Amino acid sequence: MNGTPRLRSAYPSTPGSGPKGNVQNTTSAGAPKPRSPLPPAPPSNKSTSTPLIPLSVIDAPSQRLYIAIFYAGLIVWRCSDYFVLVTDEAESLWLFMKWLAIDAAFLYGLPEFQIPWLQWSSSTTAILLILHSLFNAMLMFRIPIPVTSWFLAITKMLYDRELAVSERSVKPASILHNSSLILGKQIIHILPEGSAVLNPERSPFCIGGSQIYANLPIRINQTNPILIEILRVDLDTNANETIIVTSKEINKLKRQADKEHSKKDHTSPRVLWYPIRETGLYRLQKVVDESKLEVQRRQSDTLVVGCPTAIVKVSPPHKCMGDLSDFYLQVDATPPLRVKYSKTINRADGGNVELSIHPESLVSPLAQQRTSGALFSTESLAGMDVSWARSQSIKIPLNESLGVSGNWQYTIDHVQDACGNIANYSYVRSSESGQHKLLKGYQLEQYFSVHKRPRAALRGCNSQQPVKVEKGKSKSLPIQISSIGDGKLEDTPYTVSYLFTPQEDMLPDQKHSGTAILKELIVGDTDRGLEINEPGLYTLQSISTEFCGGEIIEPSSCLLLNPPEPDLSISAETIPDICAGNSIGFLVDLDLLGTPPFHISYEVRRKGGGIAPRVENIDRLHTQLELKPQEPGYYTYEFTSIGDAVYDLRPLRHKNLVLEQEVHPPAAAVILNAQRNCKICIEEPVTFALHLSGELPFSVEYELVHRGRRRKHKIDDIRDAEYTLTTEPLKEGGEYNLALTSITDRSGCRVVLKEEAKVDVGLQRPRAAFGHMEGKRDILALEARKIGLPLRLQGEAPWTVMYRNIDDTVGILMETTLGNNNDQIEVTAEGTYEIVNVHDASCPGSVDPIANLFTVRWIPRPSIHVAENPMVDYTGSKYVKKEVCEGDEDVTEISFTGTAPFNIEYEQRHRPDHGSQSTSLKRFDAGLNLAFLRMETSEAGSYEYKFLKLGDSSYNHDHRKFIPLTMQQRVHARPSARFTETGKTYKYCQTEESSDEVVPIILTGLSPFHLELEINHHTTTKPELINIPNVESNHYSLHIPHRVLALGTHSVTIRKVRDSRGCQREMDLNAPHVQVSVADIPSISPLEEQTDFCVGDRISYTLSGTPPFNVFYNFQGYERKAAVSSTDFRRIAEKPGLFVITAVSDHRSTDACKAKMEITKVIHEMPSVRISKGRIATVDIHEGGETDILFEFGGTPPFHFTYTRSTNPPKGRKAEVLETKNEISHEYSKTVRAFDEGQYEVVSIRDRYCAFSTRKAQGKPGQKLLTNR
């Protein structure tokens, strides 16, 4: 690369970092000369051309970068010294000398480093030092540099924007050079004598199925062909074939084409429809007209392929949930292709799916973007491979998880091949014209019936809890069948397989042995289950329906056992009577076999009597049964049946388990109510019920024992088994014992009895009377306090006393039970109490008529009242005190009844006008029956005083007896007035204007109000007072009278406010205030006298007053406001419309004293012109023909426009202007007839007010010239 010639202006080449072998010399002209090797240079410590820092340490580009960074740091340091000089007024000469020395050291020291590209000569270094010195002098001696002007110029060049009349920044160039004002171009071509093209619309064609042929369109224009040759390439063999269309066939086709046009139309192109019956690639090869010349034809290929078809390769219709659909679509078409199919699930739309199929190895021009109708760019199709256009049979697998049970349907909707041929099956399927018959024989749908999978388990049985069944009987194996997932399983019957091991073959651990048998059966009814009768272990293995297999869950095993049948054996012993020697019953031993518990049935027959069935439930394998009848006779006992936990009752009569016996039971007597505590009154008899057994008649002996004395009694000839024993009256009080000593029946055997009963006899009759309290039967007590009335009782505890309050109008009779002779009756009501009746533990008694009454009276409770006063009204259930103003003093007189001193607790609730309410509890004591309550008025709002508790020296507060007293009072807030914006300065004009600002004041209170204001002028010391009565609203807009205002600033303060309630507030001397400034009005004048402007013009005005200004104007019906910081106001006309200056205000007057005027300017839109509706239109005409060019205008007539005709250049060349014409139109459109070939376009347009041109301005090439008039 070192030997590459370089331009003289180029940088010298960077020396290599390695050692050099040879140096190439060149002449001044740059021509190389023959090289000869130089002798090696003598060794030296340092070469003059070698950098100070070796390039092997730091390469040349990096060294240059470090020098540039160092120089940038010097520039920053230099600028920092300049800013210190400006702010601190440092010494300029010293800084100038400092930087002169630094620059000299840098510029003269840099070449010593021998860095490539930075090795300049001494003269260059001197020039650079002079330039740096000039720059340092301008900075350090602060010589003005027009930096601002340079910056503004660069900014305007890069960012050229101005404010438009719509108050937004716009680019003037986008308005002045609006290319949309002139749009459109018309290109005229002179056509050749004739043309022909095959399939100009690139329509797709196919043959196959019901489509046995296709009509290829051949469009001819301005020609009558007599011969047409069509080249066909066979898709299967790639063989070429030329189809010749003869003149006779052409005339026939032309006559058919003429029928589509009117008889007078001879110029329009004709379309000849040529029928073909074979697939292939077709190209128009040759067309000859009547003059024997070949007609110009456009190269275009038409592909005729086999029509696309699609069918479904049917899969079995029954599937299970979770299975895959597992079927495929077979499509016969030319790829790449598209297939669309839809699916429904349980008659619900499942959506559409469109698949794009492109075989991996396929390379087809149909899949590429084309700009012309030709598939091949070559003129000849010989040897072209068109195998990609053949129809291919493609299988498209569809595997989708069937997750929902029910009916699924897949339907092919349409298939589209690479050429655009579409087989729309959904349209044909829904057609009502009978086209659906065309689909006969096509399998376009796939139906699936998706079934739920079964799930089985055993319930109520497992290997640890076996099922016990009688021998020879079957048991339903409790199989519970459900579906996997939600819903009911409807597919029946079910096929169930289970593993069975007989009981004798089971392993010791209760598992299946190697001899287990696998059985399978069909279950139709899940409620009945599976009938099993052989003992052994049953385990479910599988379950399935007709279509789906299921799963087995735990528990899945069940153990069936056949326990032994129940049996009974008996042995009996006679129970003898010791006295008479007769048998009185049997003691039977029962030996049982089976599964407890047992149920034994036997019959007891008495001779001369009936049969009494009996049942015994026994929970063990051995027991004894005692059979002792109570009545005498001949008894037969027969055990008839036995059952256990497994087997039902089984007969035992065949075993003849019968016992017979003559029974003579001994006599017996029982006191039925001997256990009760029998108490009677003195001189009353006592009765007992006896139950006697034995042979009638009976004799019973008994005795009464009292205080150590026995009295014997005997009752003979008792002829009933149930007998009531009644003693003689017991005349002494105390405890008696009645004992049955013996009984004798017909056998004469005397049987000793041990039956006893106790009887308590009262010693005397009970009596009741009231006792004394402090020597009297009368008491004065606190209300509702429990009072114990003393009683004096005689008799045996407990006593039942009945009493009443004779002062009670209801007269309820009360009863109490007392256990003490000197007990009390507790009462809580006032009145006179009377004892009505008394009864002790055993006997009724009497009441003392002298001491049967006792009187109870209450001490009165305290009460509270508000003393009568005209300032207090009683409304409903509360007192309402007259309203007062905030801060006023007010008291209320309260009176009491009861025993002083009084303790009062009340609740004071304050509901302010704003904010949350507050509640406080307060207490005070009153030493007399009259007190004064001071009302709270320190804060405005509604006050409620609710007296909650009252007590005196006798009673504490009782909320049940005390009725709270409520008193309310409204404390009105003192009115207030404040300025809405305190401290704000309001602008007033020197003369009274409707636009003068008002000072908003907010008042609180009840209107009307009375205001007193103070106005101070900054030049005077005496304030002006203004009284404003009858302010009817809480929001008052103060308009200060001009009589109290002068030019300058005023201070306005509120001194006093009073509302309609009479409440008044006086403000302090430092109350908030507002400022009022009175100023003069500004003015505005236009710089141009004209009133008509064009879009893009600048409208200028001059302002007088104190900047900044606010200019108010109306544009396009919208009020706008522009802020102007100088005395010049200029806007560029961005849009057409009426521009009216309505007012202007300055810094002193602001918007309050704006000067009103009406300065109107009219902005007209720029004229515009459209050719061919603003589009580029191409018109083909024949030689000698003509066409119309339509010009459409926008703007204000008349229109003057200039248009040109240019050449139609080849691609890549510039058009040349052939002629230029000027036209005038007084309408909004104009038609010009054109005969010549070329490009017609407008270059300038002018209407009544404005003009626009696209021509290049002289001296400013490329700039659009705008001329406004």
Side-chain angles (χ1 to χ4, degrees), residues 85 97 121 134 422 438 567 705 973 1125 1249:
L85 177 66
M97 297 303 295
S121 62
L134 293 176
I422 299 176
L438 300 175
D567 197 7
V705 180
S1125 59
Y1249 299 102

Side-chain angles (χ1 to χ4, degrees), residues 667 692-700 715-721 743-749:
L692 308 176
S693 61
E695 298 183 13
L696 299 175
F698 300 100
S699 295
V700 177
I715 305 173
D716 296 323
D717 197 19
I718 301 175
R719 296 186 175 275
D720 196 352
I743 182 171
T744 305
D745 62 356
R746 188 177 64 180
S747 64
C749 288

Side-chain angles (χ1 to χ4, degrees), residues 989-1096:
C989 303
Q990 185 177 10
T991 58
E992 188 167 358
E993 297 284 346
S994 60
S995 61
D996 285 346
E997 288 187 276
V998 296
V999 182
I1001 300 176
I1002 298 178
L1003 301 102
T1004 59
L1006 184 64
S1007 60
F1009 299 93
H1010 184 278
L1011 278 173
E1012 182 177 301
L1013 304 176
E1014 178 182 289
I1015 301 177
N1016 290 283
H1017 193 273
H1018 68 285
T1019 59
T1020 61
T1021 57
K1022 182 180 180 181
E1024 289 278 350
L1025 294 179
I1026 300 177
N1027 288 294
I1028 304 175
N1030 299 323
V1031 177
E1032 299 292 341
S1033 173
N1034 292 79
H1035 294 272
Y1036 179 64
S1037 297
L1038 172 64
H1039 190 280
I1040 303 175
H1042 279 70
R1043 60 181 175 82
V1044 298
L1045 297 176
L1047 284 175
T1049 304
H1050 304 73
S1051 175
V1052 181
T1053 308
I1054 301 174
R1055 282 301 174 205
K1056 187 184 298 182
V1057 60
R1058 184 174 67 249
D1059 65 358
S1060 61
R1061 300 188 184 99
C1063 298
Q1064 178 175 298
R1065 182 189 297 271
E1066 293 185 3
M1067 310 297 179
D1068 55 17
L1069 296 177
N1070 296 322
H1073 63 278
V1074 296
Q1075 302 286 337
V1076 176
S1077 177
V1078 181
D1080 205 350
I1081 60 176
S1083 64
I1084 185 171
S1085 301
L1087 294 179
E1088 299 94 354
E1089 295 182 358
Q1090 67 188 71
T1091 58
D1092 295 312
F1093 290 83
C1094 297
V1095 172

